[in-house]
Amino acid sequence: MTLSYSNAHQQGSGTTEVVAVLVAITEHTARVLTVDQGKLLPNGPLMPLHRSLQAGVRQWVEEQTQQPLGYLEQLYTFVDTNRRNDDGHALVYVSYLGLVQEAKTQLQSQALWRDWYDYFPWENHLDGMPTIIMDYIVPALLTWADDAKEFDIQHRRRQRIGLCWGVSEMSLSNSAQNKSTLSNTETNNQPINNEEYENREWIAEHVLLRYEMLYEAGLIAEAPTYPPNHLSNAQSNNEFKLPSNWSQLIGSPMYYDHRRVIAMAISRLRAKIEYRPLIFGLMPDVFTLSQLQQSVEALSGIRLHKQNFRRLLESQNLVLETGQSSSAQRGRPAKLYRFRHDIELQSLLMDSKLPKRK
């Protein structure tokens, strides 16, 4: 599968593009703004009329989406060796991360908000570890590891699999033994051993590492080696193979490296949210503590301990009661809070982290 995009900007003499990852929390769901039916992020070439990179990204976002922009920070600079200008130079694109609230006005017809777990289904652990990890991803990656010709490479790959995917050595061994069993069914209903899973911690911010491992192993559509022949055309029932609906299970692909850019953005947000109160850039003016916790969970992909979360907020003095309550239709109305604007934000969480999963 080749993810070329014929309707993108025409090839020219320019070498730099700007790309925007705009993130919002809507109804406790982490969403990213896309264009062209979810296949691209807002993007465009840097032109002489742009005073700066940020001016360029703001212009293209406004033109392609009409989404109001607030705070932007530079995310990363990527080199796309698969795309070249008229002179044969590889295209460089500079990515930006923005935290916004979804515009209440009508967006451009090509603009579309998407749940970011549509692109990274393995990252959503709100209801526990997704079954796709142990049913298919880990067995497929172990096959990729075993295909290495040198033992040292095989060993390093297996170590990376365990560390990136939060899987214990026992689970890796069991998965290796059961690869042939898993390959004989399109779906697998065997329960996951949560005790083994917990033996090695799932590190939420390793999103980019996991994505790049799937890319390296040829397991996602953007990879030049996709689909991997050794997993698609197994010659016997004893060989693990991908299910026929793998392209639907592994998430929506994007043109160019734009899914990789989103992976970088999620990694950045998940890492920063542990020591900087970035979540407040995504919240309305007033909110309940439950809404705040659910928004943090949407970004991190894991459930947080309610009491520990609230103790953290109290100890860091991050929020203030407004004296008002929500108009809840069920149960008691919840107190409404607002963010404290009169304190130094950056130092508050520098030495503390959000509570871990339940």
Side-chain angles (χ1 to χ4, degrees), residues 148-287:
K149 295 181 180 180
E150 298 180 15
F151 174 78
D152 287 346
I153 297 177
Q154 293 179 7
H155 180 65
R156 285 197 297 271
R157 285 182 177 180
R158 290 178 68 91
Q159 286 182 317
R160 289 170 57 200
I161 294 168
L163 292 171
C164 279
W165 297 92
V167 181
S168 68
E169 288 295 333
M170 183 182 298
S171 294
L172 287 176
S173 299
N174 290 341
S175 182
Q177 294 171 5
N178 294 330
K179 281 191 295 183
S180 61
T181 302
L182 292 173
S183 68
N184 292 332
T185 58
E186 287 295 297
T187 60
N188 186 281
N189 297 318
Q190 295 181 353
I192 293 170
N193 189 326
N194 287 323
E195 182 177 353
E196 291 179 5
Y197 171 59
E198 293 294 344
N199 285 341
R200 181 170 277 161
E201 183 181 7
W202 171 267
I203 301 178
E205 57 263 37
H206 284 177
V207 185
L208 183 61
L209 294 177
R210 288 185 283 269
Y211 175 82
E212 291 187 333
M213 182 178 293
L214 293 173
Y215 184 97
E216 186 179 351
L219 294 175
I220 54 177
E222 291 90 335
T225 56
Y226 179 86
N229 292 329
H230 62 286
L231 293 179
S232 301
N233 304 312
Q235 299 300 313
S236 72
N237 289 334
N238 292 327
E239 297 179 16
F240 174 79
K241 62 180 179 181
L242 295 174
S244 59
N245 64 337
W246 177 248
S247 61
Q248 286 77 45
L249 294 177
I250 202 60
S252 301
M254 300 185 79
Y255 296 121
Y256 309 147
D257 273 344
H258 283 200
R259 187 153 56 146
R260 181 172 180 244
V261 177
I262 299 177
M264 181 67 185
I266 300 175
S267 294
R268 174 78 63 85
L269 278 175
R270 287 182 172 182
K272 280 194 170 185
I273 202 172
E274 293 193 349
Y275 60 87
R276 291 178 60 189
L278 296 179
I279 185 63
F280 297 100
L282 299 166
M283 299 298 295
D285 293 336
V286 295
F287 46 82

Side-chain angles (χ1 to χ4, degrees), residues 31-213:
R31 288 154 67 86
V32 62
L33 185 58
T34 66
V35 295
D36 292 287
Q37 299 180 327
K39 292 294 187 181
L40 285 169
L41 294 167
N43 71 97
L46 186 66
M47 303 175 69
L49 59 87
H50 296 142
R51 303 185 310 275
S52 65
L53 289 168
Q54 191 169 126
V57 76
R58 287 181 180 276
Q59 177 187 334
W60 288 117
V61 168
E62 180 179 353
E63 179 178 313
Q64 295 173 10
T65 72
Q66 294 186 349
Q67 167 67 43
L69 282 179
Y71 171 76
L72 280 176
E73 70 172 61
Q74 191 168 321
L75 182 63
Y76 202 71
T77 300
F78 297 86
V79 178
D80 189 346
T81 57
N82 294 318
R83 299 172 62 202
R84 298 183 179 275
N85 66 1
D86 290 339
D87 298 324
H89 298 299
L91 188 72
V92 174
Y93 48 91
V94 183
S95 58
Y96 278 81
L97 171 63
L99 307 181
V100 301
Q101 295 185 34
E102 289 192 28
K104 296 181 180 179
T105 57
Q106 183 69 34
L107 296 177
Q108 286 276 21
S109 59
Q110 67 170 341
L112 177 67
W113 283 101
R114 291 285 300 271
D115 185 330
W116 73 20
Y117 295 122
D118 290 347
Y119 299 102
F120 307 93
W122 60 87
E123 293 294 335
N124 187 354
H125 289 232
L126 294 174
D127 296 318
M129 180 176 65
T131 56
I132 189 177
I133 292 179
M134 293 304 294
D135 285 358
Y136 297 120
I137 290 178
V138 169
L141 288 173
L142 288 173
T143 300
W144 164 70
D146 293 342
D147 281 348
K149 295 181 180 180
E150 298 180 15
F151 174 78
D152 287 346
I153 297 177
Q154 293 179 7
H155 180 65
R156 285 197 297 271
R157 285 182 177 180
R158 290 178 68 91
Q159 286 182 317
R160 289 170 57 200
I161 294 168
L163 292 171
C164 279
W165 297 92
V167 181
S168 68
E169 288 295 333
M170 183 182 298
S171 294
L172 287 176
S173 299
N174 290 341
S175 182
Q177 294 171 5
N178 294 330
K179 281 191 295 183
S180 61
T181 302
L182 292 173
S183 68
N184 292 332
T185 58
E186 287 295 297
T187 60
N188 186 281
N189 297 318
Q190 295 181 353
I192 293 170
N193 189 326
N194 287 323
E195 182 177 353
E196 291 179 5
Y197 171 59
E198 293 294 344
N199 285 341
R200 181 170 277 161
E201 183 181 7
W202 171 267
I203 301 178
E205 57 263 37
H206 284 177
V207 185
L208 183 61
L209 294 177
R210 288 185 283 269
Y211 175 82
E212 291 187 333
M213 182 178 293

